[in-house]
Amino acid sequence: MTVNDRFAALGIDNAPGQQAPVQKTGERVMDFSHGDVDAFPPASGAIEAVNEAYLAGSGRAYSPYRGHGDLLNEVADKLAGFTGAPVDPANGLMITPGTQGGLFLALSAIVEPGDKVAIVEPDYFANRKIIAFLGGRIVPVALDYEDVSAPATVDVERIEDAARSGTKLLVFSNPNNPTGVVYTQDQIRAIVSIAQMHGMFVVVDQLYSRLIYPGQSFTHLRASGIDPANCLTLMGPSKTESLSGFRTGVAMGPAPILDRMEQILAIHSLRTAGYNQAVLTTWFNEPEGWLEQRVEEHQDLRNDLVSLFRSVDGVAVRPTEGGSYLFPKLPEMGIPAGAFCESLRLEDSIVVTPGAEFSPHHAASIRLNFSQDRHRAVAAVESIVQRIEERTR
Amino acid sequence: MTVNDRFAALGIDNAPGQQAPVQKTGERVMDFSHGDVDAFPPASGAIEAVNEAYLAGSGRAYSPYRGHGDLLNEVADKLAGFTGAPVDPANGLMITPGTQGGLFLALSAIVEPGDKVAIVEPDYFANRKIIAFLGGRIVPVALDYEDVSAPATVDVERIEDAARSGTKLLVFSNPNNPTGVVYTQDQIRAIVSIAQMHGMFVVVDQLYSRLIYPGQSFTHLRASGIDPANCLTLMGPSKTESLSGFRTGVAMGPAPILDRMEQILAIHSLRTAGYNQAVLTTWFNEPEGWLEQRVEEHQDLRNDLVSLFRSVDGVAVRPTEGGSYLFPKLPEMGIPAGAFCESLRLEDSIVVTPGAEFSPHHAASIRLNFSQDRHRAVAAVESIVQRIEERTR
């Protein structure tokens, strides 16, 4: 396989955030590929913490690769409280260059060329692509989320078959990116039981696990009876907390995997930016009521946009249960969904992410991150809806 | 090969900066594994630029993976002026998560499993380790720097043999890390001529290329007649400019390689921290005389430390020509050099990096980053010298 073949197989050309919006005269662009930190600003204190770290100088510019020790201690307590299981700051926690950086390091520490890895479809675009980069073999596992009258269900039998036939690792995001569904406690327990039975390792990306809508309950895999030696959890303050510009996340997992992740980090980017790590002091430390308000505002936005999408014949959309993504399935419009996304970008200055980024079977869907200014998001979805109607009339 | 075998082969356990100094009561530790940004602070403006970017909000939190367009434009001009060859901001430049992040991305974009890659010995620890991680095969090339009466010479014949027998890539740092030697124009031209003849790609890490001591001239590979399609140059403001805490670097190279680097970045850490990219506005923009003073102060430090090391029988040290590393070769002391480093750390709270990190053949040397407070660096090297004398008496 030549290098060109290998990169073509990776297929990272349309990664979310890469398609620059087209700005027309007098119009603002609407970029649904990521959230708007102006509409939902960070809680106060983050930039101040970075400034303090800068002024503190040498001791903060460089940290051990795993992160500054005092921050690891502080974050370990918060994460233990949030997830409901102990976190060892010395051997079970690492500060990562964003949650994305943590995902790359975790999979690099676990997957050998030829290894079979179970990947949920649809799920975060990089899961599949990192496995391809590492030479792993993808075992796809379907997530059924289209029936809005029932909880979403991942194909547990398929996971069990995969584990029985030597699949070493399951990777998934919860809440799921791009569909916004939250795994039920029963589903998480079923995954734990398979992992326990077959010694399968599970990496769970819980980046959005603080933005859970009322009526949903969130189950932390790491506190659900799984052997801690077989579970790694990724989180970070990039999304709900709007601190993405600092590229800081965390990984909680067993010592041998973190040891290897640290070795990969040494050749990957050395360490999470030393000063930026300080934003973690604000995490789980926001003013009282801040998180509740953030959830409520996102819920209102979700409701607005779901209603808009449902006003068009042929569009199917499941209301988000956690996080800030909608993943509506579009009707047949006579052009491929990717071309429709491109026309939105060029004609309406609206960027959405094609569903094909998240699964080979979901090309008819589009993903929107609705963590945006409410007025502008509604106006943009009205335009999208109108374009769909024009093409299906 | 099991995952444990593969990680053992990587050998990243003693990467520079990983051995925490031991702090004794009332004593300050001396960490020579990296520079001290208190002793050599950044030029003003960097943290202010990051604050401005944060206040600017959404447009600065997220950038295209390659970096913010305005910064790419600005940096391209500066780098073209500095290196003496054009830099295309749209297709020939990328902002990277530190220079280390750029190195990982560049090698990942070029090296396929089984590829032969020429690596200079000694050289930056991660060069060898990234190639091992990617499944490449290392073709070692000796750098002869021990004869201080002559310019250092890389084994050009060996590079030519390697190129002739299918070696696809040469990677090296200039100024060399850890020895601090600068490649002569003749040596760079010889490398260019081999690259031209055999279509070999060359990645050069010029992280320290602004800290060149009087009497040395620095030759930019990219302005020395090499086909731009076969050359990628890494730089960044982490060292001379003391901005390492922001993890921001740059890569200049041909469009097809940068395209692939961008695809890897999408699964590696998405982008260089959006706000931090703003520190590049201060780069090559320091107050008049700032760089000259920084070079002079490092030169004085170098002279002090070289004299101290030369005062001991059996220590050989070449005065640094560029950058802030010294790589003295220690005499036979009855214990392995690694154990000597460990005793310095435990008994004297002094951290140096074992030579084995930079080459399998240089275990008798130690590396010191002397970008430190002059008084404290001198005192620490006096202690090292005393320990050597105690063990060789």
Side-chain angles (χ1 to χ4, degrees):
Chain A
M1 186 184 266
T2 71
V3 65
N4 285 328
D5 293 340
R6 189 165 67 86
F7 275 83
L10 283 181
I12 317 185
D13 276 345
N14 291 300
Q18 269 313 81
Q19 295 302 321
V22 174
Q23 182 139 28
K24 298 196 171 173
T25 321
E27 267 183 44
R28 278 186 71 186
V29 299
M30 187 69 219
D31 190 347
F32 282 113
S33 59
H34 49 66
D36 179 351
V37 303
D38 298 336
F40 290 99
S44 63
I47 189 70
E48 291 79 1
V50 173
N51 277 283
E52 265 175 48
Y54 175 83
L55 290 173
S58 207
R60 293 284 129 176
Y62 293 90
S63 75
Y65 294 161
R66 237 171 244 219
H68 290 297
D70 56 339
L71 296 174
L72 289 167
N73 286 331
E74 190 176 334
V75 171
D77 282 346
K78 294 169 175 173
L79 291 172
F82 177 67
T83 63
V87 177
D88 176 358
N91 298 303
L93 181 64
M94 177 174 184
I95 299 174
T96 62
T99 302
Q100 168 68 64
L103 182 66
F104 183 88
L105 297 173
L107 302 186
S108 298
I110 297 169
V111 179
E112 296 293 296
D115 280 352
K116 288 194 278 186
V117 180
I119 297 280
V120 172
E121 290 180 347
D123 210 328
Y124 182 54
F125 84 104
N127 296 3
R128 285 186 296 149
K129 291 168 185 181
I130 296 172
I131 300 305
F133 175 77
L134 295 170
R137 285 182 289 162
I138 289 167
V139 179
V141 176
L143 174 69
D144 183 359
Y145 62 95
E146 295 192 11
D147 175 2
V148 299
S149 69
T153 48
V154 70
D155 188 345
V156 170
E157 283 178 27
R158 170 81 170 164
I159 298 175
E160 179 142 38
D161 283 350
R164 195 178 293 118
S165 61
T167 294
K168 184 179 175 181
L169 171 68
L170 165 69
V171 189
F172 70 107
S173 59
N174 184 22
N176 174 263
N177 174 355
T179 65
V181 303
V182 168
Y183 286 70
T184 60
Q185 188 177 52
D186 284 350
Q187 291 256 297
I188 295 294
R189 283 189 177 159
I191 290 170
V192 168
S193 133
I194 297 165
Q196 292 294 98
M197 175 86 74
H198 300 282
M200 180 180 69
F201 201 96
V202 185
V203 170
V204 60
D205 168 358
Q206 298 192 175
L207 179 53
Y208 265 114
S209 56
R210 294 185 78 198
L211 197 70
I212 304 299
Y213 297 105
Q216 293 294 328
S217 73
F218 185 85
T219 308
H220 290 278
L221 177 78
R222 63 189 306 277
S224 301
I226 194 166
D227 181 346
N230 283 333
C231 169
L232 187 130
T233 305
L234 299 165
M235 285 188 65
S238 287
K239 297 292 188 180
T240 310
E241 304 82 356
S242 298
L243 294 171
S244 182
F246 295 106
R247 296 280 81 211
T248 299
V250 297
M252 296 164 263
I257 300 296
L258 289 171
D259 284 346
R260 288 189 217 138
M261 288 171 67
E262 180 178 329
Q263 293 181 48
I264 304 292
L265 183 59
I267 60 172
H268 168 283
S269 57
L270 285 176
R271 58 179 65 77
T272 305
Y275 307 131
N276 293 11
Q277 295 179 33
V279 303
L280 293 173
T281 56
T282 68
W283 202 27
F284 290 94
N285 209 9
E286 299 88 359
E288 200 171 317
W290 182 90
L291 184 64
E292 292 71 16
Q293 189 187 338
R294 182 138 296 197
V295 171
E296 191 183 317
E297 288 172 1
H298 279 87
Q299 190 182 14
D300 292 344
L301 258 160
R302 176 200 69 179
N303 293 346
D304 288 351
L305 304 190
V306 166
S307 297
L308 277 170
F309 277 116
R310 286 187 169 167
S311 70
V312 201
D313 277 351
V315 173
V317 63
R318 183 185 184 103
T320 318
E321 298 161 2
S324 61
Y325 293 118
L326 278 178
F327 196 57
K329 185 173 178 182
L330 308 187
E332 175 54 52
M333 292 181 288
I335 58 165
F340 178 70
C341 293
E342 189 62 3
S343 78
L344 285 178
R345 186 171 80 90
L346 297 177
E347 290 165 26
D348 299 296
S349 302
I350 295 170
V351 180
V352 300
T353 307
E357 286 299 304
F358 307 97
S359 150
H361 312 296
H362 292 77
S365 297
I366 59 174
R367 192 195 71 173
L368 295 84
N369 186 329
F370 61 81
S371 189
Q372 309 288 350
D373 174 81
R374 190 167 174 181
H375 177 76
R376 298 185 60 236
V378 166
V381 171
E382 284 171 347
S383 299
I384 297 174
V385 157
Q386 192 185 328
R387 294 297 187 188
I388 298 171
E389 283 173 335
E390 286 166 13
R391 289 181 186 274
T392 51
R393 215 173 267 149
Chain B
M1 187 185 266
T2 71
V3 64
N4 284 328
D5 293 341
R6 190 165 66 86
F7 275 81
L10 285 179
I12 316 183
D13 276 344
N14 290 300
Q18 270 313 82
Q19 296 302 320
V22 173
Q23 182 139 27
K24 298 199 174 173
T25 322
E27 265 183 45
R28 279 187 70 186
V29 299
M30 186 69 220
D31 189 348
F32 282 114
S33 58
H34 49 66
D36 179 351
V37 303
D38 298 335
F40 289 99
S44 62
I47 189 70
E48 291 79 4
V50 173
N51 277 289
E52 266 175 47
Y54 174 84
L55 290 173
S58 207
R60 293 284 129 177
Y62 292 89
S63 73
Y65 294 161
R66 235 171 248 219
H68 290 297
D70 57 339
L71 295 174
L72 289 167
N73 286 331
E74 190 177 334
V75 171
D77 283 347
K78 293 168 175 174
L79 291 172
F82 177 68
T83 63
V87 176
D88 176 358
N91 298 302
L93 182 62
M94 177 174 185
I95 299 174
T96 62
T99 303
Q100 167 68 64
L103 182 66
F104 183 88
L105 297 172
L107 301 186
S108 298
I110 297 168
V111 179
E112 295 294 296
D115 279 354
K116 287 193 277 186
V117 180
I119 297 280
V120 171
E121 289 180 348
D123 209 328
Y124 182 52
F125 83 103
N127 295 2
R128 283 186 297 149
K129 290 168 187 182
I130 296 172
I131 300 305
F133 175 78
L134 296 170
R137 284 181 290 162
I138 289 166
V139 179
V141 176
L143 174 70
D144 184 359
Y145 64 94
E146 295 192 11
D147 176 2
V148 299
S149 70
T153 49
V154 71
D155 187 345
V156 170
E157 283 178 26
R158 169 83 171 166
I159 298 175
E160 179 141 37
D161 285 348
R164 196 179 292 120
S165 59
T167 295
K168 185 179 177 182
L169 171 68
L170 165 69
V171 190
F172 71 106
S173 60
N174 185 23
N176 174 263
N177 174 354
T179 65
V181 302
V182 167
Y183 285 70
T184 61
Q185 187 176 52
D186 284 352
Q187 291 256 297
I188 295 294
R189 285 188 176 159
I191 290 169
V192 167
S193 133
I194 296 165
Q196 292 294 98
M197 176 85 75
H198 300 281
M200 180 181 68
F201 201 95
V202 185
V203 170
V204 61
D205 168 359
Q206 297 192 175
L207 179 54
Y208 265 113
S209 57
R210 295 184 77 199
L211 196 69
I212 304 298
Y213 297 105
Q216 294 294 328
S217 71
F218 186 86
T219 308
H220 290 277
L221 177 78
R222 65 188 305 277
S224 300
I226 194 166
D227 182 347
N230 284 332
C231 168
L232 186 129
T233 304
L234 300 164
M235 284 188 64
S238 288
K239 296 293 188 179
T240 309
E241 303 82 357
S242 299
L243 294 170
S244 181
F246 295 105
R247 295 279 81 210
T248 299
V250 297
M252 296 165 262
I257 300 296
L258 288 171
D259 285 345
R260 287 190 217 137
M261 288 171 67
E262 181 178 329
Q263 292 182 47
I264 304 293
L265 183 59
I267 59 172
H268 168 283
S269 58
L270 285 176
R271 57 179 66 77
T272 304
Y275 307 130
N276 292 12
Q277 295 179 33
V279 303
L280 293 172
T281 57
T282 68
W283 200 28
F284 290 95
N285 210 10
E286 300 88 358
E288 201 173 316
W290 182 91
L291 184 64
E292 292 71 18
Q293 189 187 338
R294 182 138 295 198
V295 171
E296 192 182 317
E297 288 172 0
H298 279 88
Q299 190 181 15
D300 290 345
L301 258 159
R302 176 199 69 180
N303 293 346
D304 288 351
L305 303 190
V306 166
S307 297
L308 277 170
F309 277 116
R310 286 187 169 167
S311 71
V312 201
D313 276 352
V315 173
V317 62
R318 183 183 183 104
T320 318
E321 296 161 4
S324 60
Y325 294 118
L326 279 177
F327 196 57
K329 185 175 177 181
L330 308 187
E332 175 54 53
M333 292 182 287
I335 58 165
F340 179 70
C341 293
E342 189 62 3
S343 78
L344 285 177
R345 184 170 82 89
L346 298 177
E347 290 165 26
D348 299 297
S349 303
I350 296 169
V351 179
V352 299
T353 307
E357 286 301 303
F358 308 97
S359 150
H361 311 296
H362 292 77
S365 295
I366 58 175
R367 191 195 73 173
L368 295 85
N369 186 329
F370 61 82
S371 189
Q372 310 287 351
D373 173 80
R374 189 167 174 182
H375 177 75
R376 297 186 59 237
V378 166
V381 172
E382 283 172 348
S383 298
I384 298 174
V385 156
Q386 191 186 328
R387 293 298 187 187
I388 298 170
E389 284 175 335
E390 286 167 12
R391 289 182 186 274
T392 53
R393 215 172 266 146

